[in-house]
């Protein structure tokens, strides 16, 4: 499933961007694999022409000819570097409540999986998210999306997954639908919804929703509802374009994921996987043989998984924010690329494993933690991330692509990956329009006010 590409618009130029000190982009519609991830086009003293929201022409400024009459508007960037708008292919931006108590407990040596087994972690977020309305969820997610946008992400995948029941999962997808419309109207930003089948019921919650059944029967019943109610409803209402499953010891097995995939595909939805985060259980092989768009995480991937992804069209999406926040071994980004894989990078923005609000920072972390070169990181956050979402019309500055690009504070594109703790992105252009800067909204303090008392000890 590849969507989006058009031919370069043959019509009056709406916008001519000049004074581009350096324009850097990957080229070609397919995912970059292996050493091809390092091949970037670097144009010095560049210009970029836009018509109807798409790139019309790009090259050396001196070579531009007004083939379709003088441009309606001209903007001189005074020597700044320009790169494609980033794509964040993996976020869980819709949640309520917070996980500060988990963070504090982990700082005192509790483990992420241990907290989850005890009914906390993701399950804490499921409790608070399932109690919120779609309106409230969309309101809470707005400043998170806007921070990602400021960091350069112009297409953002947003997953549900903290609902825990058919109704609550659909409510999360409705929140994403609202966000999609609002962000498109206000900033031109493009959001893509994925239905995440995150966790099976815990023994405790199984006892409450199916009192006369064993835990394993309750799990089967939950799965039957996912396949019989949730996926069909999400597909019928066009609330998601893909289904994602979390394969892990504390989550779903490969066999269960396979059943979910079969249902998703029967409704025309793409499939993808959270896999090999803590344990390697066969999810990578499942993703590859199912033609999944991507398989994400891979911190625990070994030789065999690397070999499989080196030969598969499934994109290997790595999430360095998780390794940083949870202290997990970084996913083997370097070895995946050396094996010929197409690697993408995402923030995995979520409250529990990756509170990372910057797509640019995720790429900088992939360089420092996963062994990517600078050029590979740019390809991973642009063209390959677009392919991980099934798009071939973005993540590159080439004729026919969406005119989504970033103007950096620097004259050198490498600052995008180098800068830490400050935003290297000066301007975000989407569909040939500069995103208006407005003061960042505060995250809602009241949300936290509702939480249980803090654990912090005061002495
Ligand atoms: O991508 N691994 C599973 N799911 C999410 C984490 C969700 C959470 O901790 O809230 C992830 O890491
Ligand atoms: Fe995730």
């Amino acid at each position: 499933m590849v969507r989006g590409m058009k031919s370069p618009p043959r019509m009056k130029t709406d916008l001519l961007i000049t004074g581009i000190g350096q324009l850097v982009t990957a080229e070609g519609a397919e995912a970059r694999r292996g050493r091809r991830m390092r091949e970037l086009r670097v144009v010095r003293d560049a210009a970029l022409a836009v018509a109807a929201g798409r790139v019309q022409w790009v090259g050396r400024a001196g070579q531009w000819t007004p083939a379709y009459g003088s441009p309606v508007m001209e903007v001189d960037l005074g020597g700044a570097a320009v790169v494609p708008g980033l794509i964040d292919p993996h976020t869980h931006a819709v949640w309520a409540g917070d996980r500060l108590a988990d963070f504090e407990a982990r700082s005192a040596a509790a483990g992420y999986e241990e907290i989850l087994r005890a009914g906390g972690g993701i399950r804490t977020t499921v409790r608070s998210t399932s109690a919120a309305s779609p309106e409230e969820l969309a309101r809470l997610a707005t400043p998170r999306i806007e921070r990602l946008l400021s960091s350069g992400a112009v297409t953002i995948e947003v997953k549900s997954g903290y609902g825990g029941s058919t109704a609550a999962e659909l409510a999360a997808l409705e929140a994403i639908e609202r966000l999609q419309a609002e962000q498109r109207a206000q900033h031109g930003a493009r959001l893509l919804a994925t239905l995440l089948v995150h966790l099976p019921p815990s023994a405790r919650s199984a006892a409450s929703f199916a009192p006369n059944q064993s835990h394993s029967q309750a799990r089967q019943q939950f799965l039957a509802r996912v396949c019989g109610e949730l996926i069909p409803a999400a597909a019928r209402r066009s609330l998601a374009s893909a289904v994602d499953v979390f394969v892990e010891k504390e989550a779903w097995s490969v066999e269960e994921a396979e059943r979910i995939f079969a249902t998703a595909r029967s409704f025309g939805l793409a499939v993808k996987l959270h896999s090999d985060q803590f344990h390697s259980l066969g999810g990578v092989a499942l993703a590859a043989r199912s033609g999944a768009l991507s398989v994400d995480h891979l911190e625990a991937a070994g030789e065999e998984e690397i070999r499989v992804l080196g030969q598969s069209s499934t994109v290997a999406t790595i999430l360095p924010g998780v390794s940083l926040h949870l202290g997990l071994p970084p996913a083997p980004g370097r070895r995946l690329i050396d094996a010929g894989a197409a690697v993408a990078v995402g923030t995995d923005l979520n409250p529990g494993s990756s509170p990372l609000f910057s797509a640019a920072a995720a790429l900088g972390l992939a360089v420092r933690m996963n062994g990517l070169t600078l050029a590979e990181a740019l390809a991973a956050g642009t063209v390959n991330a677009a392919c991980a979402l099934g798009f071939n019309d973005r993540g590159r500055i080439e004729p026919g692509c969406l005119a989504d690009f970033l103007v950096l504070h620097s004259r050198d594109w490498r600052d995008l990956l180098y800068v830490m703790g400050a935003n290297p992105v000066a301007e975000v252009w989407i569909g040939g329009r500069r995103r208006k800067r407005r003061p960042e909204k505060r995250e809602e303090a009241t949300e936290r006010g509702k939480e249980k008392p803090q654990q912090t000890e005061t002495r």
Side-chain angles (χ1 to χ4, degrees):
M1 182 188 59
V2 174
R3 36 191 182 194
M5 194 61 185
K6 296 229 171 84
S7 18
R10 296 174 177 280
M11 55 199 290
K12 191 163 176 60
T13 304
D14 296 322
L15 170 71
L16 181 69
I17 305 271
T18 59
I20 305 173
Q22 232 182 18
L23 183 144
V24 182
T25 182
E27 291 180 295
E30 298 86 39
R32 317 275 80 195
R33 320 181 56 85
R35 72 166 71 91
R36 295 206 59 207
M37 283 185 68
R38 260 168 269 166
E39 293 165 11
L40 296 179
R41 178 181 186 203
V42 180
V43 188
R44 287 177 208 285
D45 303 321
L48 166 60
V50 175
R54 294 196 176 246
V55 176
Q56 188 177 45
W57 181 90
V58 58
R60 296 284 296 226
Q63 289 169 357
W64 189 73
T65 50
Y68 304 100
S70 339
V72 176
M73 186 168 96
E74 224 176 296
V75 174
D76 183 340
L77 298 182
V82 164
V83 296
L86 305 181
I87 317 286
D88 191 343
H90 184 138
T91 82
H92 308 247
V94 170
W95 78 80
D98 70 55
R99 299 272 283 283
L100 295 170
D102 287 9
F103 182 43
E104 188 165 32
R106 287 197 304 99
S107 75
Y112 179 89
E113 289 178 282
E114 186 191 335
I115 294 171
L116 179 56
R117 269 195 298 275
I122 299 173
R123 296 198 192 278
T124 306
T125 305
V126 168
R127 285 189 287 276
S128 41
T129 305
S130 58
S133 66
E135 298 74 31
E136 194 176 355
L137 291 173
R139 190 167 44 78
L140 292 169
T142 296
R144 301 172 192 148
I145 296 291
E146 293 190 354
R147 284 178 179 183
L148 287 175
L149 200 47
S150 302
S151 80
V154 294
T155 294
I156 302 170
E157 188 248 27
V158 185
K159 301 175 197 293
S160 69
Y162 293 121
S165 69
T166 303
E169 218 54 70
L170 290 172
L173 290 172
E174 282 167 26
I176 301 173
E177 190 179 43
R178 263 169 195 272
L179 287 164
Q180 272 169 331
E182 285 166 11
Q183 291 299 317
R184 194 84 192 95
Q186 286 171 25
H187 306 291
R190 311 167 205 276
L191 268 48
L192 196 72
T194 295
L195 164 60
L196 169 61
V197 184
H198 212 166
L199 289 185
S202 65
R204 208 179 317 159
S205 67
S208 65
F209 92 81
N212 301 320
Q213 293 183 354
S214 68
H215 184 203
S216 101
Q217 283 170 322
R219 186 179 175 118
Q220 288 317 306
Q221 189 179 326
F222 186 93
L223 188 60
R225 286 189 196 164
V226 165
C227 295
E229 292 174 6
L230 178 56
I231 295 175
R236 196 173 50 243
R237 296 172 56 193
S238 303
L239 289 172
S241 59
V243 172
D244 189 346
V245 186
F246 181 26
V247 168
E248 190 48 67
K249 280 191 181 164
E250 293 303 315
W252 299 102
S253 69
V254 166
E255 293 69 32
E256 288 165 330
E258 200 151 25
R259 186 165 154 209
I260 296 167
F261 274 12
T263 306
R265 279 200 307 250
S266 73
F267 284 94
L269 301 173
V271 294
K272 53 169 82 177
L273 217 54
H274 275 68
S275 185
D276 295 61
Q277 183 179 6
F278 298 101
H279 304 96
S280 200
L281 304 176
V284 168
L286 168 67
R289 72 173 176 270
S290 311
L293 281 175
S294 68
V295 57
D296 304 28
H297 272 289
L298 305 169
E299 293 86 345
E303 284 312 317
E304 179 55 14
E305 288 70 35
I306 293 170
R307 190 192 63 74
V308 167
L309 288 170
Q311 293 167 9
S312 166
S313 59
T314 294
V315 174
T317 299
I318 59 173
L319 310 164
V322 177
S323 301
L324 183 66
H325 187 63
L326 298 187
L328 297 183
R334 174 77 270 129
R335 286 191 292 148
L336 281 161
I337 295 173
D338 291 344
V343 170
V345 171
T347 60
D348 198 9
L349 170 62
N350 76 75
S353 73
S354 185
L356 177 60
F357 292 82
S358 166
L363 301 184
L365 289 176
V367 170
R368 295 171 176 99
M369 300 178 66
N370 307 90
L372 272 60
T373 68
L374 304 189
E376 288 165 348
L378 187 67
T382 55
V383 61
N384 281 6
C387 290
L389 297 180
F391 291 116
N392 71 356
D393 65 344
R394 59 195 75 185
R396 301 175 282 131
I397 305 177
E398 281 197 285
C401 287
L402 296 172
D404 296 354
F405 57 91
L406 310 178
V407 179
L408 304 187
H409 281 295
S410 172
R411 293 172 171 267
D412 190 321
W413 75 277
R414 294 174 297 185
D415 264 317
L416 178 72
L417 308 161
Y418 175 75
V419 168
M420 296 196 287
N423 190 356
V425 176
E427 293 174 11
V428 177
W429 290 72
I430 308 180
R433 291 181 172 208
R434 184 170 19 205
R435 179 194 167 213
K436 291 208 179 47
R437 276 180 245 187
R438 52 174 206 196
E440 248 187 38
K441 275 201 201 147
R442 274 179 74 220
E443 284 233 31
E444 306 235 346
T446 47
E447 183 198 355
R448 293 204 171 135
K450 284 186 203 157
E451 291 292 303
K452 289 194 194 118
Q454 306 291 301
Q455 284 190 345
T456 312
E457 291 170 32
T458 43
R459 285 164 212 254

